[in-house]
Amino acid sequence: MSTPAASSAAPSGAKALTALILSVLSYSLVQTMLVPTLSVLQADLHTSAVGASWAVLSSTLLASAVLTPVLSRLGDSHGRRRVLMITLAVHLAGNIGAGLAWNVGSLIAFRAVQGVSLALLPLSLGLIREVLPPHRRAFGLGLTSGLVAGAAGAGLLLGGLIVDHVSWRWLFVAGAGLTSLALGAVARHVPGGGATVRAPLDLPGAGLLGLTLVCVLLALTEGPSWGWLSLRVLALFAGAVVCGGLFLGWERRSAHPLIDPALLLGRPIAAAHMGAFLLGATQFVFYVLVPKLAELPAGPPAQAARPVAHGFGASVTVAGLILVPGTLLGLAASSATGWVERGLGRRAPLALGLAVSAVGGASMAGFHAREWQAVAAYAVIGTGFGWAMAALPRLIHDVAPPDAIATANGINTVARTVGGAVGSQLAAALLASRTPPGTALPADPGFTYAFWTATAIAATGALYSSLAARSSADEAKSAGEVRSETYANTEAGKA
């Protein structure tokens, strides 16, 4: 189905891959570049901390969770290149609108429009099968997915530099420029896809899935302010369970399901989705806490009830620099995932990546009093992230049918996003629980407990992935033995 496109793209595979990488960066860099703007937006747009948080994170998170499965499915059924270009065009419009926002309400609206950008990752991963020759696909998948983790440090660094020297609006100017570059590169260098299996969009399924994800993410987003045991939060979690059950029931009966239940619950692919969830939770604990630790005062500030000696007193820019070595090592690891696979097996990089991240997390939990300790620990963590991120799309491509590659990657991306929301709130809750009375500055035990928690999540993911890999290997061996026995019996019967 994808062979004609792949063969036609082979001579210009590098240019096509570059175009897809630019598409992914136009999403991932913009997301992390905005993190340093929370306090700036609050002052500049005369809004509350909640309003600024919705403008930077929450509105995009909710919109992306709803839109990503739909756009991924449309890509599989109507052409991934076409849907990728439309998504880039909408993302560009969102960037331009956000840069011109006149108040916090308009910024929240335009940031919700930018929620389409999360779909750029699964659409690009799906196109790699079409635009690269077979021997380069593993490299392309590893590098493209690894850049998502790598963009965390680079985005914070770039965002800090822009916010420190010019207006926050220039973040969206930069985002619009990168998105325009990606759109032009895709139009010029990514060929039209091969044949697609056109099917009507499952609107009831899309609505039920959207309601499920909105309930989950809204509960996670507003839980700290509403109270985790409040009636509204509990009602949202209950609504997620009900809508999720209705969604699965509908998809099993639908002639043209939005998502085949096998892409959600099938044994090999469910392990990849669970790995993505646990990876996302681990990643966002460190994405939230390492910069926060770096920016804490190095001495006792006037408003503190007692000295705060565990911070580095760094600027936003320096806080981003702490993540850069880990980012670079993660990119190198993601590009070299094939070596790990050849030595240890196809499913080994996910378990190994999570295990390495757990080792780095334990180091961060035990030693984070100095900048060099944080840099060294995150270098190990980032290396693990690179292996794990590169492993996920490769696992998806191994087990998903060719006409559902983008859809399966979209589900996996949403699983990591939901895991990230859980990790962010978990990190914030652990810091809040160890904040001394009379100050808004967290005490050091809060960071220690949070880093140990992230370590435990990563270790759990490594163990789960190892067991899933062993189970898959046993099943494959058993299936091979059954096939051999059947063949032998057949030959004996012929004799």
Side-chain angles (χ1 to χ4, degrees):
M1 183 175 300
S2 57
T3 303
S7 60
S8 64
S12 59
K15 293 180 179 179
L17 179 60
T18 300
L20 297 177
I21 286 172
L22 287 172
S23 300
V24 171
L25 286 177
S26 72
Y27 148 70
S28 53
L29 274 178
V30 170
Q31 284 296 96
T32 50
M33 281 196 303
L34 291 172
V35 172
T37 66
L38 280 166
S39 59
V40 176
L41 287 176
Q42 188 176 344
D44 202 29
L45 296 178
H46 309 290
T47 186
S48 63
V50 173
S53 178
W54 270 90
V56 171
L57 297 172
S58 301
S59 60
T60 310
L61 178 67
L62 292 175
S64 64
V66 174
L67 293 171
T68 297
V70 175
L71 291 170
S72 301
R73 185 71 186 96
L74 286 173
D76 282 332
S77 61
H78 290 77
R80 295 167 194 139
R81 177 183 181 271
R82 178 186 305 170
V83 177
L84 178 66
M85 292 185 66
I86 293 172
T87 303
L88 282 167
V90 175
H91 183 37
L92 175 59
N95 267 296
I96 294 171
L100 299 173
W102 53 93
N103 58 27
V104 70
S106 62
L107 182 57
I108 289 172
F110 286 120
R111 289 289 292 144
V113 171
Q114 287 186 291
V116 301
S117 62
L118 183 62
L120 295 171
L121 177 60
L123 289 169
S124 297
L125 293 173
L127 276 164
I128 283 177
R129 181 189 287 266
E130 298 178 15
V131 303
L132 291 184
H135 68 279
R136 296 200 65 210
R137 288 174 189 164
F139 169 78
L141 288 171
L143 180 60
T144 304
S145 54
L147 280 169
V148 178
L156 285 173
L157 177 60
L158 291 173
L161 286 170
I162 292 173
V163 170
D164 285 346
H165 294 93
V166 292
S167 167
W168 57 268
R169 297 181 187 275
W170 282 94
L171 293 169
F172 296 108
V173 173
L178 183 57
T179 306
S180 299
L181 186 62
L183 184 57
V186 170
R188 183 170 182 178
H189 299 301
V190 177
T196 56
V197 180
R198 289 182 176 264
L201 183 62
D202 177 17
L203 291 177
L208 288 169
L209 178 60
L211 284 173
T212 302
L213 293 170
V214 166
C215 286
V216 170
L217 293 172
L218 190 59
L220 291 172
T221 300
E222 297 298 334
S225 56
W226 291 352
W228 291 108
L229 297 179
S230 67
L231 182 60
R232 285 183 290 182
V233 170
L234 294 177
L236 284 170
F237 280 127
V241 172
V242 172
C243 291
L246 292 173
F247 168 74
L248 288 175
W250 173 265
E251 295 300 275
R252 287 192 173 100
R253 295 193 303 272
S254 175
H256 302 286
L258 176 72
I259 298 172
D260 186 334
L263 295 178
L264 278 171
L265 304 175
R267 190 178 229 180
I269 208 165
H273 296 331
M274 179 58 71
F277 174 84
L278 295 172
L279 173 63
T282 305
Q283 285 177 316
F284 276 79
V285 170
F286 292 110
Y287 292 166
V288 169
L289 293 190
V290 174
K292 186 178 287 291
L293 174 66
E295 293 171 39
L296 276 180
Q303 72 271 27
R306 53 178 160 171
V308 179
H310 48 281
F312 306 153
S315 66
V316 173
T317 302
V318 173
L321 280 171
I322 290 175
L323 303 182
V324 168
T327 295
L328 296 176
L329 288 171
L331 287 175
S334 65
S335 301
T337 303
W339 296 348
V340 178
E341 288 182 350
R342 285 191 289 272
L344 300 175
R346 294 286 286 177
R347 294 182 172 271
L350 178 58
L352 178 63
L354 288 166
V356 170
S357 296
V359 172
S363 176
M364 183 77 79
F367 308 99
H368 54 261
R370 299 289 182 270
E371 291 94 329
W372 70 267
Q373 294 174 335
V375 169
Y378 191 77
V380 178
I381 293 166
T383 301
F385 288 167
W387 273 322
M389 282 294 296
L392 291 171
R394 293 162 80 129
L395 292 175
I396 296 296
H397 278 237
D398 281 348
V399 298
D403 61 351
I405 288 293
T407 303
N409 275 301
I411 299 166
N412 198 255
T413 301
V414 170
R416 194 177 67 87
T417 300
V418 174
V422 171
S424 299
Q425 295 302 336
L426 187 60
L430 288 169
L431 282 193
S433 69
R434 293 296 185 274
T435 298
T439 178
L441 302 176
D444 184 58
F447 288 96
T448 301
Y449 295 150
F451 290 145
W452 277 121
T453 301
T455 299
I457 294 171
T460 301
L463 178 61
Y464 174 82
S465 300
S466 298
L467 293 175
R470 184 175 300 176
S471 176
S472 297
D474 290 344
E475 287 180 3
K477 182 179 178 181
S478 298
E481 290 173 351
V482 169
R483 286 194 295 268
S484 299
E485 184 178 349
T486 302
Y487 176 78
N489 291 337
T490 302
E491 293 300 307
K494 289 179 181 178

